[in-house]
Amino acid sequence: MADTEASIGYGITFEMAEAATPTVFAYIAEIYDMTPPSDSTDTVDVTHMQSPNKTREFIDGLTDPGEASFEMNLVPGSDSDKALLAAKGKRKWCRITFPNGVQTLFFGVRTTYEKAAPTDDKMTATVTFKVSGEPVQTDPAAPRNISAPVVTGVAKVGAPLTVDPGIWAGALGLTYQWKVDGTNVSGATSTSYIPVTGDIGKGVSVAITGANDDFSTTVTSAETADVVA
């Protein structure tokens, strides 16, 4: 029997754009428990006096594309909070990207932005979009880097540098390759790197590759300041 191809939803991203400019997307951070659009199709009773054997007959009616919703960690005043507040009453072009690179695209109207701020738990919000028209599901696409990787730490011999990989859409996994003065460092493929004496006077960066089953995308961070002794 073949192995299952099932996966968990970790890594899904949600973005939205103005309907008039559907290429400029705002990324909504800290989401979880995404429910993509679904559909239900009406059935219309078309029974008539001569329906065979006195049995009801039905035809397909209109399809309701339903809603898309997600939960999120609420950070008041964040870019995501501001974007969702500003979305009230506006038609949005929404993009859900799954870890395998498949995207669901649809027009939607934000109908719910319900915030909760309990005294003994995290602040959260429930967000719902009413889907308008038929959603489009794409074939897998190459991973996209939404926010660039950043190297943190002091560029000094013996002092560890670490990398924040940024935000990725459509990536099942990430791999790392550290570089000194733009040249790959052999064996330096983890999330951290410790500069050595030979690195003095040179900048350090890291190339991160996001991959799914079909494609890969590589993005390189900015270089650090020159390594010092």
Side-chain angles (χ1 to χ4, degrees), residues 47-57:
T47 308
H48 56 91
M49 294 299 185
Q50 302 301 319
S51 291
N53 204 25
K54 297 191 295 183
T55 301
R56 291 189 182 279
E57 296 182 78

Side-chain angles (χ1 to χ4, degrees), residues 99-181:
N100 65 354
V102 172
Q103 299 178 16
T104 297
L105 303 162
F106 60 93
F107 286 109
V109 177
R110 198 218 75 196
T111 56
T112 302
Y113 186 29
E114 182 178 354
K115 302 179 182 183
T119 58
D120 60 349
D121 204 348
K122 66 181 181 179
M123 293 190 292
T124 62
T126 299
V127 182
T128 305
F129 283 82
K130 178 60 181 176
V131 181
S132 177
E134 185 175 16
V136 175
Q137 180 166 298
T138 71
D139 290 332
R144 291 179 293 109
N145 179 243
I146 295 175
S147 69
V150 177
V151 175
T152 59
V154 178
K156 182 179 179 179
V157 173
L161 298 171
T162 60
V163 62
D164 175 347
I167 303 297
W168 290 78
L172 290 170
L174 302 176
T175 56
Y176 304 84
Q177 176 60 65
W178 289 87
K179 298 173 178 285
V180 173
D181 204 23

Side-chain angles (χ1 to χ4, degrees), residues 37-227:
S38 57
D39 59 54
S40 58
T41 302
D42 297 334
T43 54
V44 179
D45 188 338
V46 293
T47 308
H48 56 91
M49 294 299 185
Q50 302 301 319
S51 291
N53 204 25
K54 297 191 295 183
T55 301
R56 291 189 182 279
E57 296 182 78
F58 297 89
I59 60 173
D60 289 344
L62 298 178
T63 295
D64 186 335
E67 297 178 332
S69 64
F70 53 84
E71 305 292 319
M72 63 182 290
N73 295 328
L74 174 63
V75 182
S78 66
D79 289 344
S80 295
D81 180 40
K82 292 176 181 178
L84 288 167
L85 287 171
K88 179 181 178 180
K90 298 177 181 178
R91 193 165 183 251
K92 292 291 187 177
W93 181 237
C94 302
R95 174 165 64 189
I96 298 171
T97 305
F98 297 93
N100 65 354
V102 172
Q103 299 178 16
T104 297
L105 303 162
F106 60 93
F107 286 109
V109 177
R110 198 218 75 196
T111 56
T112 302
Y113 186 29
E114 182 178 354
K115 302 179 182 183
T119 58
D120 60 349
D121 204 348
K122 66 181 181 179
M123 293 190 292
T124 62
T126 299
V127 182
T128 305
F129 283 82
K130 178 60 181 176
V131 181
S132 177
E134 185 175 16
V136 175
Q137 180 166 298
T138 71
D139 290 332
R144 291 179 293 109
N145 179 243
I146 295 175
S147 69
V150 177
V151 175
T152 59
V154 178
K156 182 179 179 179
V157 173
L161 298 171
T162 60
V163 62
D164 175 347
I167 303 297
W168 290 78
L172 290 170
L174 302 176
T175 56
Y176 304 84
Q177 176 60 65
W178 289 87
K179 298 173 178 285
V180 173
D181 204 23
T183 301
N184 290 351
V185 179
S186 178
T189 56
S190 70
T191 57
S192 63
Y193 175 70
I194 300 176
V196 298
T197 302
D199 300 336
I200 292 174
K202 302 172 184 176
V204 178
S205 60
V206 58
I208 300 180
T209 300
N212 54 41
D213 290 337
D214 299 287
F215 302 97
S216 64
T217 300
T218 300
V219 175
T220 301
S221 72
E223 281 193 350
T224 65
D226 290 348
V227 175

